[in-house]
Amino acid sequence: MNNDNNNNNNHENNKPAGLFADKAYEPTPDVSSTPSDNTSKSTVAQSIATQDNQPVSTDTSATTAPASRVTKKTIASGEPLKLAVVGHTNTGKTSILRTLLRDVYFGEVKNEAATTRHVEQAQLTDSRTGEVLVALYDTPGLEDASGLMDWLEDNTASRRDGIERLQQFLAADIAQGADSYDLPYDYSQEAKVIRQLLTSDMAIYVVDAREPVLGKYKDELAILSWAAIPVMPVFNFTDSQNANIDDWQTMLARRNLHISTRFDSVAFEFEDEMRLWKNLATMLTHFEMLEQLMQRRTEDWAQLYDEANIIIADFLLNVAAFVREINDDDDPLPVLEQMQEAVRQSERAMQHNLLNLYKFYDNAVSATPLELQAYQQDPFDPELLKSYGIRTTSGAAAGALLGLGIDAAALGTTLGLGAAIGGIAGGLLSNTSSIADRITGVKRLYIDPATLTLLATRALDLLTALRHRGHAATDATQLLYKGEKNSLETSGGDNNPDEDNNPITVWPAHKLPSELKKARGKPQWSSLSSGKSEQAQLLRTDMAWSLSGKLQSYKRDS
């Protein structure tokens, strides 16, 4: 039986005009029935984070002050969009926010229900001006919308509009928490969500696309609709084979929710993010802030890609220019091992620079592609070379190239570590003995073209993985990017691949880009040779820009 509580009449009589001028409020707690410990009061904790992970000032007056009215206005031109992220518990609301923010530290992500217990706020800003464009609110999961709907049907009048019925719920004891009022049921989590809805401009309703359409989700959407703000469903985990998107869209259409979008927080696609903002903009009268956000994030995304390719190009030039000289009678093995270790460390530094660029900081928080075996395997492991379909002309393992005074690759001899050492011991380089006679016994060791090709391919694969990996991924085996195959699982060496048309490597091992060929005659470009990092980097800067442009032409994410 519907009950129009008289204790809400005073709010009704002083109700402001206009749908979006309604107020959400909390009742004044009864001192006699409220514990004295302030921590037990119903509050909303806000954790503020910006796109650059810098803290900003916290203003909780709108959500924590008891007996206060919080005004919600329609978004006006020039104002940041206040966007609530809502949905059933454990559907990935915080995961989506982590990926939108590029922040692995925002909130808490666990594979269990009700991880988020309070409303947490973050901001998306203009990277150039610092202007706040969107204020995002991560809300607790809706745990028992069906029970709340039953209460609303029994205790509020159907002739009242949705906002009034929700306000009446917020004023009731059940919205304050079972602990505070010794009640058998607790709708305080739902109250936090509704309170935030009534102070937001619009909301996205996160749907776990793997879930079947159940009655509890229909009740959630019904309650959300009463807040009288635009609500757009967003499908998460869309790459799962168990996705039920068609069933969901049918149900949503029956509730007049015809605008939805897909945004997988693990298998990230930048185009999906842009589509999310575009769809939200169609639901607003003033959408200038979202247009500005889309333009700036598109520019930032392109700039990140440019910077990443510069990092990779600089690393490759540094390795290509790496050279060590030894005397004719010196044992080359210790020097070759030192060179290999220097290259390993340089590759790890390059990989971590890419991780930091795309804001994957801590493997303990968010798993990164580096945890996959493909990126951990030694670049000088002959099995790794084989898995990429790379063969040296001698069939030897990859390593350092032994040249007698000049790079032997210029003579058409491409040899790996095994051949280099074997050439000293067994005379495999007898075809260059005439040159050796002219050099007075000096030998130079380089990194061979096969290894450079492998390093380039693996670096671009890592970049592709980072560009398609959401910041909520907690498992290294989760999808890195659509259509990816682990290079270690891609057979090439046993199938006699044609290197000129090899889809695994970025270029055939015997056809290095001109920039890398030039670097092999410029030992001063390599900090690995000279130990002068800044000076060497300045010397190869122009060539790094040129090589980065070529790297971008090798599409690894098609």
Side-chain angles (χ1 to χ4, degrees):
M1 171 174 151
N2 292 334
N3 179 21
D4 239 339
N5 290 342
N6 293 328
N7 58 4
N8 286 314
N9 289 339
N10 57 330
H11 296 291
E12 234 181 284
N13 295 334
N14 194 28
K15 188 169 58 180
L19 176 62
F20 290 95
D22 282 287
K23 315 287 179 74
Y25 62 89
E26 296 182 28
T28 304
D30 185 353
V31 177
S32 62
S33 59
T34 304
S36 59
D37 185 359
N38 290 333
T39 62
S40 64
K41 296 180 181 179
S42 176
T43 62
V44 179
Q46 292 181 323
S47 172
I48 311 294
T50 68
Q51 193 174 2
D52 296 321
N53 299 311
Q54 298 296 323
V56 297
S57 60
T58 304
D59 180 10
T60 58
S61 59
T63 51
T64 60
S68 64
R69 290 174 176 263
V70 182
T71 303
K72 181 183 73 58
K73 302 176 181 178
T74 311
I75 182 172
S77 179
E79 289 186 358
L81 172 70
K82 296 182 288 294
L83 179 63
V85 180
V86 302
H88 196 75
T89 183
N90 206 33
T91 56
K93 297 181 294 298
T94 302
S95 296
I96 282 180
L97 282 167
R98 279 190 175 183
T99 299
L100 287 175
L101 294 165
R102 318 281 192 262
D103 184 355
V104 298
Y105 296 106
F106 178 79
E108 186 176 5
V109 173
K110 290 183 179 179
N111 189 23
E112 59 185 51
T115 303
T116 302
R117 304 303 297 177
H118 303 284
V119 175
E120 296 188 41
Q121 179 186 347
Q123 296 174 344
L124 291 177
T125 61
D126 188 310
S127 59
R128 294 186 183 179
T129 66
E131 180 183 9
V132 178
L133 302 177
V134 177
L136 296 161
Y137 298 91
D138 187 17
T139 64
L142 296 166
E143 297 177 346
D144 187 11
S146 296
L148 176 56
M149 179 61 79
D150 290 340
W151 186 93
L152 289 167
E153 292 293 337
D154 291 340
N155 294 276
T156 63
S158 59
R159 64 179 177 274
R160 305 181 74 180
D161 67 33
I163 289 181
E164 293 173 330
R165 299 177 77 176
L166 293 179
Q167 288 175 334
Q168 187 171 341
F169 158 68
L170 293 177
D173 292 347
I174 65 165
Q176 317 313 315
D179 293 340
S180 299
Y181 289 89
D182 193 25
L183 297 172
Y185 38 78
D186 183 358
Y187 294 113
S188 59
Q189 294 300 102
E190 283 77 8
K192 294 173 185 177
V193 177
I194 292 171
R195 198 171 288 116
Q196 184 58 56
L197 276 176
L198 294 176
T199 59
S200 299
D201 300 308
M202 64 190 317
I204 60 175
Y205 175 73
V206 180
V207 176
D208 185 340
R210 301 167 298 185
E211 286 288 305
V213 178
L214 301 175
K216 59 184 179 181
Y217 302 129
K218 299 176 183 179
D219 289 337
E220 288 172 0
L221 289 168
I223 292 173
L224 296 178
S225 70
W226 290 1
I229 61 173
V231 176
M232 185 178 75
V234 174
F235 296 106
N236 195 9
F237 308 116
T238 57
D239 256 38
S240 170
Q241 295 180 349
N242 300 321
N244 297 305
I245 295 179
D246 290 342
D247 293 340
W248 273 97
Q249 288 180 327
T250 299
M251 184 271 285
L252 294 171
R254 292 177 178 177
R255 282 155 180 77
N256 291 320
L257 292 171
H258 300 284
I259 299 178
S260 62
T261 194
R262 304 183 183 200
F263 187 83
D264 197 304
S265 59
V266 174
F268 173 69
E269 294 292 337
F270 184 73
E271 293 77 11
D272 289 344
E273 179 185 342
M274 289 300 100
R275 192 175 299 109
L276 183 151
W277 299 122
K278 288 177 182 177
N279 288 349
L280 286 174
T282 63
M283 306 169 74
L284 292 172
T285 303
H286 299 288
F287 47 81
E288 296 87 353
M289 285 300 190
L290 287 184
E291 286 189 333
Q292 183 178 343
L293 177 69
M294 287 185 284
Q295 177 181 350
R296 191 68 69 236
R297 286 176 83 83
T298 299
E299 293 171 354
D300 291 345
W301 190 246
Q303 182 177 345
L304 280 178
Y305 188 53
D306 290 341
E307 292 177 7
N309 279 282
I310 287 289
I311 290 173
I312 295 172
D314 184 76
F315 156 71
L316 293 174
L317 290 167
N318 196 27
V319 173
F322 188 18
V323 61
R324 292 284 298 274
E325 290 186 355
I326 61 174
N327 293 323
D328 186 54
D329 55 352
D330 288 343
D331 179 5
L333 186 57
V335 178
L336 293 171
E337 290 177 344
Q338 292 172 11
M339 293 181 71
Q340 288 181 339
E341 183 57 30
V343 172
R344 291 186 191 102
Q345 293 181 12
S346 182
E347 185 189 34
R348 283 194 290 268
M350 177 274 298
Q351 291 171 336
H352 285 288
N353 285 338
L354 291 179
L355 288 174
N356 290 337
L357 182 66
Y358 282 88
K359 298 187 177 181
F360 290 95
Y361 302 113
D362 188 349
N363 291 356
V365 177
S366 179
T368 72
L370 285 184
E371 296 182 43
L372 289 176
Q373 186 180 2
Y375 299 104
Q376 292 178 338
Q377 193 166 356
D378 185 356
F380 297 98
D381 185 337
E383 290 301 317
L384 180 61
L385 214 99
K386 183 179 178 182
S387 73
Y388 276 90
I390 301 174
R391 288 176 179 266
T392 60
T393 57
S394 66
L401 174 66
L402 176 63
L404 301 181
I406 63 172
D407 185 349
L411 303 177
T413 306
T414 305
L415 300 173
L417 173 60
I421 298 175
I424 295 170
L428 293 180
L429 299 180
S430 58
N431 61 327
T432 61
S433 59
S434 60
I435 299 176
D437 293 339
R438 302 173 189 172
I439 310 184
T440 66
V442 175
K443 299 171 183 174
R444 295 178 182 173
L445 302 175
Y446 301 85
I447 302 302
D448 74 344
T451 300
L452 287 172
T453 300
L454 170 64
L455 293 172
T457 302
R458 189 153 76 159
L460 291 179
D461 281 346
L462 174 61
L463 173 57
T464 300
L466 293 175
R467 284 169 57 82
H468 293 271
R469 187 171 183 80
H471 285 69
T474 57
D475 185 348
T477 62
Q478 286 175 309
L479 185 66
L480 294 179
Y481 57 92
K482 293 181 178 178
E484 181 195 14
K485 291 184 179 179
N486 190 330
S487 295
L488 291 176
E489 299 172 353
T490 306
S491 175
D494 295 333
N495 296 324
N496 299 317
D498 181 2
E499 286 192 1
D500 289 328
N501 299 293
N502 193 339
I504 302 176
T505 59
V506 293
W507 52 68
H510 61 278
K511 293 184 179 180
L512 292 180
S514 59
E515 293 83 359
L516 293 180
K517 291 180 180 179
K518 185 174 183 178
R520 294 169 72 76
K522 302 287 185 178
Q524 67 272 22
W525 286 8
S526 178
S527 62
L528 303 178
S529 301
S530 65
K532 299 177 181 179
S533 178
E534 293 183 6
Q535 180 179 347
Q537 187 174 28
L538 286 174
L539 291 173
R540 62 179 184 263
T541 296
D542 291 341
M543 203 58 63
W545 277 100
S546 176
L547 179 57
S548 70
K550 291 184 178 179
L551 294 177
Q552 293 190 39
S553 69
Y554 298 105
K555 299 297 184 183
R556 305 297 293 165
D557 55 349
S558 58

